[in-house]
Amino acid sequence: MKRMIALFAAGVLMVSSVSAGAQTTRDYWMEYTSKLPIGSTVRVRTTDGKRMSGVLAIVNDTGITVQAKTRVPEPPRHIAYGQLEQVELKSGGSSVGKAVAIGAAVGVGSFLGMLAIVAGLWSD
């Protein structure tokens, strides 16, 4: 009898800890996604392993709605918080340093090109 009670108590504790973990995960995703700006591009991975990239359209109490960026238009997809495994804000892809480097390279190339033209005209 004691063994049965101990097994029952252990089962109850395991179930309550699993449901508390799920609630914590749901709260985490709800808090994180509510801080993301609507209209931003996000990368999403679900618990079943599917990945998608799209525009964040709606964040509510049940989950998020993402409009996928695909060649063929698709309807917006609602993803429940329990299905989210990863949500990542996608950056613009370019930085100030990269833009400065490209500008400097274009400037140097233009200068050397003009110098070559002047040297070619002067040698005639």
Side-chain angles (χ1 to χ4, degrees):
M1 184 69 174
K2 288 182 183 180
R3 185 175 181 190
M4 239 163 117
I5 292 173
L7 287 173
F8 179 73
V12 168
L13 287 174
M14 285 184 0
V15 169
S16 66
S17 67
V18 168
S19 65
Q23 184 65 27
T24 304
T25 303
R26 182 184 180 284
D27 292 342
Y28 171 78
W29 286 121
M30 184 184 292
E31 184 177 339
Y32 177 74
T33 55
S34 67
K35 294 179 182 176
L36 295 175
I38 299 297
S40 59
T41 303
V42 292
R43 288 185 211 148
V44 177
R45 185 173 65 201
T46 59
T47 54
D48 59 358
K50 294 182 180 177
R51 297 171 189 250
M52 71 179 298
S53 179
V55 177
L56 184 64
I58 299 171
V59 177
N60 58 22
D61 293 340
T62 60
I64 62 172
T65 303
V66 178
Q67 175 66 50
K69 285 190 170 183
T70 58
R71 287 185 293 159
V72 179
E74 293 180 6
R77 182 174 170 203
H78 181 78
I79 305 167
Y81 290 119
Q83 294 176 336
L84 291 175
E85 187 168 314
Q86 181 179 13
V87 177
E88 180 180 316
L89 188 60
K90 192 173 179 184
S91 63
S94 91
S95 65
V96 174
K98 183 178 178 182
V100 168
I102 291 171
V106 168
V108 168
S110 298
F111 175 73
L112 292 177
M114 295 297 286
L115 195 60
I117 291 172
V118 168
L121 290 174
W122 199 324
S123 65
D124 282 341

